[in-house]
Amino acid sequence: MKKIAASIPHSIWPAEDLKRAEKEAADSFGITLYELMLRAGEAAFTVARQQFPDTRCWLVLCGHGNNGGDGYVVARLAAAAGIQVTLLALESNKPLPEEAAQARDAWLNAGGVIHAPDILWPEQVDLIIDGLLGTGLTSAPRDNVAQLIDHVNAHPAPVLALDIPSGLNAQTGAAPGAVIHAHHTLTFIALKPGLLTGKARDVVGQLHHHALGLESWLNGQETALTRFDASQLCRWFTPRRPTSHKGDHGRLLIIGGDHGTAGAIRMAGEAALRAGAGLVRVLTRSENIAPLLTARPELMVHELTSASLDESLQWADVVVIGPGLGQQEWGKKALQKVENFRKPMLWDADALNLLAINPDKRHNRVLTPHPGEAARMLNCSVAEIESDRLLAAQRLVKRYAGVVVLKGAGTVIANAEGEMGIVDAGNAGMASGGMGDVLSGIIGALLGQKLTPWDAACAGCVAHGAAADRLAAQFGMRGMLATDLFTALWRVVNPDVVDTKDD
C-alpha cells in the first residue's frame, strides 16, 4: 500500500483562493478535476487503511458537493477491498457538481447503494468517513445536517474527515454551529488556515496532507500566510560566534511587577535569560527586589523610579513592559515614558489594557494580546475575536501598527507589511497562569539578539510552544507550570545541540 507523506506544508492558502488554485494547478498538468477527485479518494482510502487497519465496517457520509464526491470514491475503493460500506448522502434539489456526479455514478455502477441520511445506522460501524461539508462553509450547518453531525460525535467509532471536518470554517477555524470531531483529517492540495487556529485544535485531530501530485505547481506560488513549527527553529537560532560576549546579545529592560505581581516580572526576566539575552535589567517595586534576586541572581533588579527609568532607557537595547504592570498611576507613568522609546519594544498585559484606552501607532513595537486583551483593544467582544482570529490580528495591526501576536490555540502573527503566520506548536498544558509572561521575555530576548520584530515574534512563539510540547511529551499536559518551561526552553533555543540522553 502506498504510504501517505506525513509532512505538512508551511505555506497556507486563503480559503477563497482554493478553487482557483485547484483549477489552475490541474490545468498546468493537463489533468481533469475528476482525476484530482480520484486521487483524493485514493489518498483518503490509504490513510484510513494505515490508521485503522482492522476496521471492516465503514459508514461513509457524503454531502452535496465535491467533498461528497471524494466520499463516493473512498466508498467504492473500500467496497472493492472487501469492506462492508454503508453510504449515506444528503439530499438536495440542485444537481451535484460534475465531478461529484461522476464519482456517484461510478459508485452506483460498482453496485453501491445510496441511503438517506436519516436511516437507522448498522449495528457494526467501526470507522466513519466524513465527506459532508467542504471548505465552502460560511454559516452553521442546516438542522438536518447538524443532527447528523451530532449523531457522528456521539458514536464511538473513529472519524476520518475529508479535507476539513464538516462544520469547521476553512478560513477562520470557527465553528458557527455543529462540527464533526474528527480523529484524523486529511486535507488536499493546499493547507487551509482554518485547520490550524480557532476551534480547529479541538476537532481536526491528527492532520495529514496530500498535494495530489500538484506539489511543483504549489511550490512555485507565493502566499502571504505561513505555518511556523519547531522544524524551523534552526532558521532563527544559529550557533553563536566563539568570541561573542554578553553585550552582543542584547541589553533588555523589563518593567512591571506592581504590588502582588512580582511573579510575572520574575518569569519574564528568567525566560529572557533562558532565551539567550546577554543582560536583563528589571525595574519593579522595591519590595520585589530581594525575592527576585534570591530566585534568579543573574537578573539585575532595581526599584522603578523616574530617575532609574530614564537611566535604564538610555542603557537598554530593547524594552519589555506590561507583565504585572497594573493600571494604576505607577504603571501609567512608566508607560508614558516608555512609549517614546525608539528602539524595539514589546508591550504585554496591562500595557495593552492601557493602550486600549489611549490608542496609538508604533512601528517598533510587538504587541502580544490574548483574546480578552484584543477585544478591549478593538472595542468588541471576545466572541468576535475568536470568530475570525486572522481578521482580528489584521485589525489590530491596522489600528496599532508594528507586529501583533494574537495568542491562543493556533497563535496568529501579523505585521503592517501584510505578512501573516500561524504557530503550529504548543498544547493545552499552556492554559495556566504566567505563560504569557514567559513569552514576553522570550520575544524580548530575541529582539535583543537582533532578530527583526517579525522574526523575533515568530521564533519566540515557536520556541515557547516547542518547549511546552517537549514537557507534555515527557510528563503530560495537566499540571504544567510556566516556570517548567525554562529548562526545556534552554534546549529548544539550541537546536544545533544533539540530545545525548532524555531530558
Side-chain angles (χ1 to χ4, degrees):
M1 182 181 295
K2 183 180 178 182
K3 185 139 180 96
I4 299 298
S7 62
I8 307 297
H10 288 109
S11 59
I12 306 172
W13 284 70
E16 60 268 22
D17 291 347
L18 295 176
K19 283 191 175 181
R20 174 189 63 81
E22 181 179 18
K23 181 69 166 61
E24 290 183 9
D27 288 346
S28 71
F29 286 96
I31 60 178
T32 65
L33 294 179
Y34 182 57
E35 172 59 29
L36 286 184
M37 183 172 287
L38 294 176
R39 293 182 184 183
E42 181 179 357
F45 176 68
T46 300
V47 167
R49 295 294 275 164
Q50 288 173 353
Q51 298 299 324
F52 308 102
D54 298 326
T55 55
R56 295 291 179 266
C57 302
W58 292 11
L59 181 72
V60 180
L61 308 177
C62 295
H64 205 72
N66 284 335
N67 195 242
D70 298 337
Y72 283 114
V73 178
V74 174
R76 179 171 53 79
L77 293 173
I83 294 169
Q84 181 181 325
V85 178
T86 303
L87 186 145
L88 278 57
L90 298 179
E91 299 170 344
S92 175
N93 294 327
K94 297 179 180 179
L96 278 173
E98 180 182 351
E99 297 78 25
Q102 287 180 267
R104 177 200 58 196
D105 292 346
W107 162 248
L108 292 172
N109 291 336
V113 176
I114 299 175
H115 297 279
D118 57 355
I119 67 161
L120 188 66
W121 288 12
E123 287 188 18
Q124 283 293 106
V125 172
D126 48 22
L127 179 64
I128 299 174
I129 306 294
D130 166 31
L132 286 173
L133 306 173
T135 59
L137 177 131
T138 57
S139 58
R142 299 189 309 273
D143 288 346
N144 63 323
V145 182
Q147 290 172 8
L148 189 54
I149 289 173
D150 290 341
H151 195 172
V152 172
N153 291 337
H155 198 278
V159 180
L160 169 64
L162 306 182
D163 212 13
I164 192 166
S166 293
L168 188 67
N169 186 300
Q171 176 63 24
T172 67
V179 58
I180 291 283
H181 287 242
H183 297 76
H184 291 261
T185 297
L186 173 61
T187 199
F188 305 119
I189 303 179
L191 190 59
K192 296 85 177 167
L195 291 167
L196 300 171
T197 192
K199 186 71 172 176
R201 288 292 188 95
D202 284 342
V203 303
V204 167
Q206 183 178 342
L207 182 61
H208 308 259
H209 169 260
H210 199 292
L212 307 185
L214 306 180
E215 292 89 346
S216 60
W217 186 89
L218 292 166
N219 293 338
Q221 310 299 309
E222 289 188 7
T223 61
L225 266 169
T226 303
R227 183 182 70 90
F228 294 112
D229 69 357
S231 71
Q232 296 156 296
L233 288 169
C234 288
R235 162 184 164 187
W236 298 300
F237 297 101
T238 55
R240 289 182 166 180
R241 288 184 296 105
T243 56
S244 66
H245 56 82
K246 60 189 177 184
D248 292 331
H249 305 303
R251 297 187 297 269
L252 175 61
L253 174 63
I254 305 180
I255 304 164
D258 200 355
H259 298 300
T261 58
I265 205 72
R266 181 257 163 131
M267 287 186 283
E270 183 163 351
L273 291 170
R274 286 301 187 197
L279 294 165
V280 180
R281 180 183 294 187
V282 174
L283 295 184
T284 186
R285 288 286 189 181
S286 60
E287 62 263 35
N288 297 336
I289 295 175
L292 263 63
L293 287 173
T294 302
R296 183 47 62 204
E298 294 87 352
L299 293 171
M300 299 178 290
V301 190
H302 305 274
E303 182 181 3
L304 173 60
T305 65
S306 180
S308 69
L309 181 53
D310 287 340
E311 190 276 327
S312 295
L313 289 174
Q314 290 292 322
W315 170 86
D317 298 318
V318 177
V319 170
V320 170
I321 186 167
L325 185 69
Q327 298 184 52
Q328 303 307 311
E329 200 62 26
W330 182 81
K332 287 180 180 178
K333 286 182 177 179
L335 190 62
Q336 286 168 1
K337 284 199 173 186
V338 168
E339 65 184 7
N340 293 316
F341 187 70
R342 299 301 181 188
K343 298 173 186 177
M345 54 183 172
L346 180 145
W347 290 25
D348 186 30
D350 281 319
L352 300 176
N353 292 324
L354 292 170
L355 178 61
I357 298 170
N358 295 296
D360 65 21
K361 288 187 175 183
R362 306 279 168 179
H363 294 283
N364 62 324
R365 184 172 58 190
V366 178
L367 305 176
T368 58
H370 58 55
E373 292 158 346
R376 289 188 282 277
M377 294 169 72
L378 293 175
N379 192 29
C380 66
S381 67
V382 173
E384 287 178 83
I385 297 293
E386 293 291 78
S387 70
D388 193 336
R389 290 170 51 79
L390 278 76
L391 179 61
Q394 291 172 318
R395 290 177 61 200
L396 286 165
V397 167
K398 185 175 181 180
R399 180 170 293 189
Y400 297 99
V403 176
V404 168
V405 175
L406 179 56
K407 296 182 289 194
T411 290
V412 177
I413 308 172
N415 67 12
E417 286 69 48
E419 293 177 289
M420 293 193 75
I422 300 177
V423 178
D424 192 13
N427 58 77
M430 303 172 78
S432 63
M435 288 290 178
D437 303 314
V438 170
L439 178 62
S440 294
I442 296 171
I443 296 176
L446 299 183
L447 288 169
Q449 292 168 76
K450 299 181 176 58
L451 270 69
T452 66
W454 171 256
D455 281 340
C458 297
C461 288
V462 171
H464 186 234
D469 287 341
R470 289 178 71 96
L471 290 172
Q474 190 172 0
F475 302 111
M477 297 180 196
R478 188 175 288 108
M480 187 186 300
L481 303 181
T483 52
D484 292 336
L485 266 62
F486 294 147
T487 302
L489 179 63
W490 187 4
R491 178 71 74 184
V492 164
V493 298
N494 291 285
D496 54 309
V497 175
V498 178
D499 283 318
T500 58
K501 63 179 180 179
D502 293 336
D503 288 343

PDB file of all heavy atoms in Angstrom, residues 90-119:
ATOM      1  N   LEU A  90     -26.586  13.305   1.608  1.00  0.00           N
ATOM      2  CA  LEU A  90     -27.543  14.386   1.805  1.00  0.00           C
ATOM      3  C   LEU A  90     -28.342  14.592   0.533  1.00  0.00           C
ATOM      4  O   LEU A  90     -27.842  14.430  -0.582  1.00  0.00           O
ATOM      5  CB  LEU A  90     -26.804  15.683   2.158  1.00  0.00           C
ATOM      6  CG  LEU A  90     -25.992  15.684   3.451  1.00  0.00           C
ATOM      7  CD1 LEU A  90     -25.305  17.034   3.626  1.00  0.00           C
ATOM      8  CD2 LEU A  90     -26.882  15.387   4.645  1.00  0.00           C
ATOM      9  N   GLU A  91     -29.597  14.966   0.709  1.00  0.00           N
ATOM     10  CA  GLU A  91     -30.472  15.214  -0.437  1.00  0.00           C
ATOM     11  C   GLU A  91     -30.502  16.700  -0.761  1.00  0.00           C
ATOM     12  O   GLU A  91     -30.319  17.548   0.118  1.00  0.00           O
ATOM     13  CB  GLU A  91     -31.881  14.703  -0.124  1.00  0.00           C
ATOM     14  CG  GLU A  91     -31.924  13.194   0.150  1.00  0.00           C
ATOM     15  CD  GLU A  91     -33.268  12.742   0.704  1.00  0.00           C
ATOM     16  OE1 GLU A  91     -34.029  13.614   1.156  1.00  0.00           O
ATOM     17  OE2 GLU A  91     -33.522  11.528   0.705  1.00  0.00           O
ATOM     18  N   SER A  92     -30.714  17.013  -2.047  1.00  0.00           N
ATOM     19  CA  SER A  92     -30.783  18.405  -2.474  1.00  0.00           C
ATOM     20  C   SER A  92     -31.572  18.507  -3.763  1.00  0.00           C
ATOM     21  O   SER A  92     -31.626  17.561  -4.558  1.00  0.00           O
ATOM     22  CB  SER A  92     -29.369  18.969  -2.677  1.00  0.00           C
ATOM     23  OG  SER A  92     -29.421  20.281  -3.196  1.00  0.00           O
ATOM     24  N   ASN A  93     -32.183  19.675  -3.961  1.00  0.00           N
ATOM     25  CA  ASN A  93     -32.900  19.924  -5.221  1.00  0.00           C
ATOM     26  C   ASN A  93     -31.945  20.284  -6.347  1.00  0.00           C
ATOM     27  O   ASN A  93     -32.317  20.262  -7.516  1.00  0.00           O
ATOM     28  CB  ASN A  93     -33.912  21.063  -5.020  1.00  0.00           C
ATOM     29  CG  ASN A  93     -35.016  20.674  -4.051  1.00  0.00           C
ATOM     30  OD1 ASN A  93     -35.412  19.515  -3.991  1.00  0.00           O
ATOM     31  ND2 ASN A  93     -35.506  21.643  -3.287  1.00  0.00           N
ATOM     32  N   LYS A  94     -30.728  20.654  -5.995  1.00  0.00           N
ATOM     33  CA  LYS A  94     -29.755  21.055  -7.006  1.00  0.00           C
ATOM     34  C   LYS A  94     -28.954  19.845  -7.465  1.00  0.00           C
ATOM     35  O   LYS A  94     -28.694  18.927  -6.684  1.00  0.00           O
ATOM     36  CB  LYS A  94     -28.809  22.116  -6.428  1.00  0.00           C
ATOM     37  CG  LYS A  94     -29.503  23.412  -6.021  1.00  0.00           C
ATOM     38  CD  LYS A  94     -28.483  24.392  -5.448  1.00  0.00           C
ATOM     39  CE  LYS A  94     -29.162  25.696  -5.026  1.00  0.00           C
ATOM     40  NZ  LYS A  94     -28.187  26.652  -4.435  1.00  0.00           N
ATOM     41  N   PRO A  95     -28.532  19.854  -8.718  1.00  0.00           N
ATOM     42  CA  PRO A  95     -27.709  18.727  -9.195  1.00  0.00           C
ATOM     43  C   PRO A  95     -26.320  18.765  -8.574  1.00  0.00           C
ATOM     44  O   PRO A  95     -25.816  19.826  -8.188  1.00  0.00           O
ATOM     45  CB  PRO A  95     -27.640  18.963 -10.714  1.00  0.00           C
ATOM     46  CG  PRO A  95     -27.862  20.431 -10.888  1.00  0.00           C
ATOM     47  CD  PRO A  95     -28.812  20.836  -9.800  1.00  0.00           C
ATOM     48  N   LEU A  96     -25.719  17.604  -8.473  1.00  0.00           N
ATOM     49  CA  LEU A  96     -24.348  17.525  -7.987  1.00  0.00           C
ATOM     50  C   LEU A  96     -23.389  18.207  -8.954  1.00  0.00           C
ATOM     51  O   LEU A  96     -23.642  18.240 -10.172  1.00  0.00           O
ATOM     52  CB  LEU A  96     -23.923  16.062  -7.849  1.00  0.00           C
ATOM     53  CG  LEU A  96     -24.326  15.286  -6.603  1.00  0.00           C
ATOM     54  CD1 LEU A  96     -23.929  13.822  -6.780  1.00  0.00           C
ATOM     55  CD2 LEU A  96     -23.671  15.867  -5.367  1.00  0.00           C
ATOM     56  N   PRO A  97     -22.284  18.757  -8.477  1.00  0.00           N
ATOM     57  CA  PRO A  97     -21.240  19.223  -9.400  1.00  0.00           C
ATOM     58  C   PRO A  97     -20.803  18.077 -10.306  1.00  0.00           C
ATOM     59  O   PRO A  97     -20.914  16.900  -9.943  1.00  0.00           O
ATOM     60  CB  PRO A  97     -20.107  19.652  -8.458  1.00  0.00           C
ATOM     61  CG  PRO A  97     -20.770  19.935  -7.153  1.00  0.00           C
ATOM     62  CD  PRO A  97     -21.929  18.994  -7.068  1.00  0.00           C
ATOM     63  N   GLU A  98     -20.297  18.409 -11.476  1.00  0.00           N
ATOM     64  CA  GLU A  98     -19.993  17.408 -12.496  1.00  0.00           C
ATOM     65  C   GLU A  98     -19.084  16.300 -11.981  1.00  0.00           C
ATOM     66  O   GLU A  98     -19.351  15.115 -12.188  1.00  0.00           O
ATOM     67  CB  GLU A  98     -19.329  18.096 -13.694  1.00  0.00           C
ATOM     68  CG  GLU A  98     -18.980  17.134 -14.826  1.00  0.00           C
ATOM     69  CD  GLU A  98     -18.279  17.839 -15.977  1.00  0.00           C
ATOM     70  OE1 GLU A  98     -18.227  19.083 -15.962  1.00  0.00           O
ATOM     71  OE2 GLU A  98     -17.790  17.133 -16.875  1.00  0.00           O
ATOM     72  N   GLU A  99     -18.022  16.676 -11.297  1.00  0.00           N
ATOM     73  CA  GLU A  99     -17.066  15.665 -10.836  1.00  0.00           C
ATOM     74  C   GLU A  99     -17.693  14.767  -9.766  1.00  0.00           C
ATOM     75  O   GLU A  99     -17.492  13.546  -9.754  1.00  0.00           O
ATOM     76  CB  GLU A  99     -15.800  16.325 -10.273  1.00  0.00           C
ATOM     77  CG  GLU A  99     -15.015  17.132 -11.287  1.00  0.00           C
ATOM     78  CD  GLU A  99     -15.625  18.499 -11.553  1.00  0.00           C
ATOM     79  OE1 GLU A  99     -16.346  19.023 -10.673  1.00  0.00           O
ATOM     80  OE2 GLU A  99     -15.401  19.043 -12.652  1.00  0.00           O
ATOM     81  N   ALA A 100     -18.445  15.373  -8.850  1.00  0.00           N
ATOM     82  CA  ALA A 100     -19.089  14.586  -7.806  1.00  0.00           C
ATOM     83  C   ALA A 100     -20.133  13.635  -8.399  1.00  0.00           C
ATOM     84  O   ALA A 100     -20.293  12.500  -7.940  1.00  0.00           O
ATOM     85  CB  ALA A 100     -19.744  15.505  -6.775  1.00  0.00           C
ATOM     86  N   ALA A 101     -20.828  14.098  -9.449  1.00  0.00           N
ATOM     87  CA  ALA A 101     -21.809  13.236 -10.114  1.00  0.00           C
ATOM     88  C   ALA A 101     -21.125  12.037 -10.764  1.00  0.00           C
ATOM     89  O   ALA A 101     -21.646  10.905 -10.720  1.00  0.00           O
ATOM     90  CB  ALA A 101     -22.580  14.045 -11.152  1.00  0.00           C
ATOM     91  N   GLN A 102     -19.965  12.249 -11.366  1.00  0.00           N
ATOM     92  CA  GLN A 102     -19.203  11.136 -11.941  1.00  0.00           C
ATOM     93  C   GLN A 102     -18.809  10.128 -10.862  1.00  0.00           C
ATOM     94  O   GLN A 102     -18.884   8.913 -11.065  1.00  0.00           O
ATOM     95  CB  GLN A 102     -17.940  11.666 -12.636  1.00  0.00           C
ATOM     96  CG  GLN A 102     -18.195  12.376 -13.958  1.00  0.00           C
ATOM     97  CD  GLN A 102     -16.883  12.864 -14.583  1.00  0.00           C
ATOM     98  OE1 GLN A 102     -16.467  13.997 -14.383  1.00  0.00           O
ATOM     99  NE2 GLN A 102     -16.237  11.987 -15.323  1.00  0.00           N
ATOM    100  N   ALA A 103     -18.378  10.643  -9.716  1.00  0.00           N
ATOM    101  CA  ALA A 103     -17.980   9.754  -8.626  1.00  0.00           C
ATOM    102  C   ALA A 103     -19.178   8.976  -8.087  1.00  0.00           C
ATOM    103  O   ALA A 103     -19.067   7.777  -7.774  1.00  0.00           O
ATOM    104  CB  ALA A 103     -17.320  10.567  -7.511  1.00  0.00           C
ATOM    105  N   ARG A 104     -20.323   9.649  -7.998  1.00  0.00           N
ATOM    106  CA  ARG A 104     -21.539   8.966  -7.534  1.00  0.00           C
ATOM    107  C   ARG A 104     -21.939   7.862  -8.505  1.00  0.00           C
ATOM    108  O   ARG A 104     -22.265   6.735  -8.094  1.00  0.00           O
ATOM    109  CB  ARG A 104     -22.672   9.966  -7.386  1.00  0.00           C
ATOM    110  CG  ARG A 104     -24.019   9.358  -6.977  1.00  0.00           C
ATOM    111  CD  ARG A 104     -25.159  10.275  -7.325  1.00  0.00           C
ATOM    112  NE  ARG A 104     -25.179  10.574  -8.755  1.00  0.00           N
ATOM    113  CZ  ARG A 104     -25.866  11.581  -9.310  1.00  0.00           C
ATOM    114  NH1 ARG A 104     -26.592  12.378  -8.549  1.00  0.00           N
ATOM    115  NH2 ARG A 104     -25.824  11.784 -10.618  1.00  0.00           N
ATOM    116  N   ASP A 105     -21.891   8.183  -9.802  1.00  0.00           N
ATOM    117  CA  ASP A 105     -22.281   7.193 -10.809  1.00  0.00           C
ATOM    118  C   ASP A 105     -21.334   5.990 -10.791  1.00  0.00           C
ATOM    119  O   ASP A 105     -21.767   4.836 -10.970  1.00  0.00           O
ATOM    120  CB  ASP A 105     -22.297   7.838 -12.196  1.00  0.00           C
ATOM    121  CG  ASP A 105     -23.417   8.872 -12.339  1.00  0.00           C
ATOM    122  OD1 ASP A 105     -24.329   8.887 -11.481  1.00  0.00           O
ATOM    123  OD2 ASP A 105     -23.349   9.683 -13.282  1.00  0.00           O
ATOM    124  N   ALA A 106     -20.059   6.250 -10.575  1.00  0.00           N
ATOM    125  CA  ALA A 106     -19.093   5.145 -10.503  1.00  0.00           C
ATOM    126  C   ALA A 106     -19.387   4.247  -9.303  1.00  0.00           C
ATOM    127  O   ALA A 106     -19.260   3.014  -9.387  1.00  0.00           O
ATOM    128  CB  ALA A 106     -17.674   5.698 -10.417  1.00  0.00           C
ATOM    129  N   TRP A 107     -19.815   4.853  -8.186  1.00  0.00           N
ATOM    130  CA  TRP A 107     -20.198   4.075  -7.006  1.00  0.00           C
ATOM    131  C   TRP A 107     -21.426   3.215  -7.304  1.00  0.00           C
ATOM    132  O   TRP A 107     -21.456   2.023  -6.979  1.00  0.00           O
ATOM    133  CB  TRP A 107     -20.461   5.030  -5.847  1.00  0.00           C
ATOM    134  CG  TRP A 107     -21.253   4.477  -4.704  1.00  0.00           C
ATOM    135  CD1 TRP A 107     -22.516   4.836  -4.339  1.00  0.00           C
ATOM    136  CD2 TRP A 107     -20.841   3.484  -3.745  1.00  0.00           C
ATOM    137  NE1 TRP A 107     -22.932   4.130  -3.232  1.00  0.00           N
ATOM    138  CE2 TRP A 107     -21.912   3.296  -2.844  1.00  0.00           C
ATOM    139  CE3 TRP A 107     -19.681   2.739  -3.573  1.00  0.00           C
ATOM    140  CZ2 TRP A 107     -21.855   2.401  -1.780  1.00  0.00           C
ATOM    141  CZ3 TRP A 107     -19.612   1.831  -2.520  1.00  0.00           C
ATOM    142  CH2 TRP A 107     -20.690   1.670  -1.632  1.00  0.00           C
ATOM    143  N   LEU A 108     -22.423   3.802  -7.964  1.00  0.00           N
ATOM    144  CA  LEU A 108     -23.630   3.059  -8.288  1.00  0.00           C
ATOM    145  C   LEU A 108     -23.344   1.950  -9.295  1.00  0.00           C
ATOM    146  O   LEU A 108     -23.851   0.826  -9.174  1.00  0.00           O
ATOM    147  CB  LEU A 108     -24.706   4.004  -8.824  1.00  0.00           C
ATOM    148  CG  LEU A 108     -25.277   5.008  -7.812  1.00  0.00           C
ATOM    149  CD1 LEU A 108     -26.194   6.018  -8.519  1.00  0.00           C
ATOM    150  CD2 LEU A 108     -26.031   4.282  -6.697  1.00  0.00           C
ATOM    151  N   ASN A 109     -22.524   2.257 -10.293  1.00  0.00           N
ATOM    152  CA  ASN A 109     -22.195   1.265 -11.325  1.00  0.00           C
ATOM    153  C   ASN A 109     -21.407   0.088 -10.751  1.00  0.00           C
ATOM    154  O   ASN A 109     -21.421  -1.009 -11.310  1.00  0.00           O
ATOM    155  CB  ASN A 109     -21.399   1.909 -12.459  1.00  0.00           C
ATOM    156  CG  ASN A 109     -22.249   2.868 -13.272  1.00  0.00           C
ATOM    157  OD1 ASN A 109     -23.485   2.741 -13.310  1.00  0.00           O
ATOM    158  ND2 ASN A 109     -21.618   3.833 -13.927  1.00  0.00           N
ATOM    159  N   ALA A 110     -20.733   0.332  -9.636  1.00  0.00           N
ATOM    160  CA  ALA A 110     -19.984  -0.745  -8.985  1.00  0.00           C
ATOM    161  C   ALA A 110     -20.869  -1.556  -8.046  1.00  0.00           C
ATOM    162  O   ALA A 110     -20.385  -2.449  -7.353  1.00  0.00           O
ATOM    163  CB  ALA A 110     -18.806  -0.153  -8.218  1.00  0.00           C
ATOM    164  N   GLY A 111     -22.172  -1.249  -8.032  1.00  0.00           N
ATOM    165  CA  GLY A 111     -23.101  -1.991  -7.189  1.00  0.00           C
ATOM    166  C   GLY A 111     -23.377  -1.345  -5.847  1.00  0.00           C
ATOM    167  O   GLY A 111     -24.046  -1.951  -4.988  1.00  0.00           O
ATOM    168  N   GLY A 112     -22.881  -0.111  -5.665  1.00  0.00           N
ATOM    169  CA  GLY A 112     -23.096   0.565  -4.397  1.00  0.00           C
ATOM    170  C   GLY A 112     -24.527   1.052  -4.244  1.00  0.00           C
ATOM    171  O   GLY A 112     -25.256   1.244  -5.230  1.00  0.00           O
ATOM    172  N   VAL A 113     -24.932   1.269  -3.022  1.00  0.00           N
ATOM    173  CA  VAL A 113     -26.273   1.748  -2.696  1.00  0.00           C
ATOM    174  C   VAL A 113     -26.148   3.065  -1.954  1.00  0.00           C
ATOM    175  O   VAL A 113     -25.254   3.243  -1.120  1.00  0.00           O
ATOM    176  CB  VAL A 113     -27.021   0.715  -1.817  1.00  0.00           C
ATOM    177  CG1 VAL A 113     -28.386   1.245  -1.403  1.00  0.00           C
ATOM    178  CG2 VAL A 113     -27.140  -0.617  -2.549  1.00  0.00           C
ATOM    179  N   ILE A 114     -27.049   4.004  -2.254  1.00  0.00           N
ATOM    180  CA  ILE A 114     -27.074   5.295  -1.566  1.00  0.00           C
ATOM    181  C   ILE A 114     -28.277   5.322  -0.636  1.00  0.00           C
ATOM    182  O   ILE A 114     -29.421   5.139  -1.072  1.00  0.00           O
ATOM    183  CB  ILE A 114     -27.151   6.457  -2.574  1.00  0.00           C
ATOM    184  CG1 ILE A 114     -25.918   6.447  -3.489  1.00  0.00           C
ATOM    185  CG2 ILE A 114     -27.265   7.795  -1.846  1.00  0.00           C
ATOM    186  CD1 ILE A 114     -25.961   7.486  -4.597  1.00  0.00           C
ATOM    187  N   HIS A 115     -28.029   5.550   0.649  1.00  0.00           N
ATOM    188  CA  HIS A 115     -29.089   5.599   1.640  1.00  0.00           C
ATOM    189  C   HIS A 115     -29.402   7.048   2.035  1.00  0.00           C
ATOM    190  O   HIS A 115     -28.529   7.921   1.966  1.00  0.00           O
ATOM    191  CB  HIS A 115     -28.680   4.821   2.895  1.00  0.00           C
ATOM    192  CG  HIS A 115     -28.451   3.361   2.656  1.00  0.00           C
ATOM    193  ND1 HIS A 115     -29.478   2.444   2.581  1.00  0.00           N
ATOM    194  CD2 HIS A 115     -27.300   2.655   2.453  1.00  0.00           C
ATOM    195  CE1 HIS A 115     -28.981   1.244   2.354  1.00  0.00           C
ATOM    196  NE2 HIS A 115     -27.662   1.335   2.274  1.00  0.00           N
ATOM    197  N   ALA A 116     -30.605   7.267   2.468  1.00  0.00           N
ATOM    198  CA  ALA A 116     -30.992   8.567   3.008  1.00  0.00           C
ATOM    199  C   ALA A 116     -30.265   8.800   4.327  1.00  0.00           C
ATOM    200  O   ALA A 116     -29.936   7.841   5.048  1.00  0.00           O
ATOM    201  CB  ALA A 116     -32.504   8.632   3.219  1.00  0.00           C
ATOM    202  N   PRO A 117     -30.013  10.059   4.683  1.00  0.00           N
ATOM    203  CA  PRO A 117     -29.227  10.328   5.890  1.00  0.00           C
ATOM    204  C   PRO A 117     -29.931   9.996   7.203  1.00  0.00           C
ATOM    205  O   PRO A 117     -29.282   9.930   8.242  1.00  0.00           O
ATOM    206  CB  PRO A 117     -28.952  11.839   5.799  1.00  0.00           C
ATOM    207  CG  PRO A 117     -30.022  12.368   4.902  1.00  0.00           C
ATOM    208  CD  PRO A 117     -30.329  11.285   3.926  1.00  0.00           C
ATOM    209  N   ASP A 118     -31.246   9.762   7.133  1.00  0.00           N
ATOM    210  CA  ASP A 118     -31.982   9.517   8.376  1.00  0.00           C
ATOM    211  C   ASP A 118     -32.270   8.036   8.621  1.00  0.00           C
ATOM    212  O   ASP A 118     -33.079   7.688   9.479  1.00  0.00           O
ATOM    213  CB  ASP A 118     -33.292  10.301   8.384  1.00  0.00           C
ATOM    214  CG  ASP A 118     -34.188   9.971   7.186  1.00  0.00           C
ATOM    215  OD1 ASP A 118     -33.736   9.206   6.304  1.00  0.00           O
ATOM    216  OD2 ASP A 118     -35.324  10.480   7.144  1.00  0.00           O
ATOM    217  N   ILE A 119     -31.585   7.135   7.901  1.00  0.00           N
ATOM    218  CA  ILE A 119     -31.814   5.707   8.134  1.00  0.00           C
ATOM    219  C   ILE A 119     -31.230   5.290   9.483  1.00  0.00           C
ATOM    220  O   ILE A 119     -30.392   5.984  10.063  1.00  0.00           O
ATOM    221  CB  ILE A 119     -31.193   4.841   7.013  1.00  0.00           C
ATOM    222  CG1 ILE A 119     -29.665   4.931   7.052  1.00  0.00           C
ATOM    223  CG2 ILE A 119     -31.741   5.203   5.660  1.00  0.00           C
ATOM    224  CD1 ILE A 119     -28.965   3.807   6.328  1.00  0.00           C
TER     225      ILE A 119
END
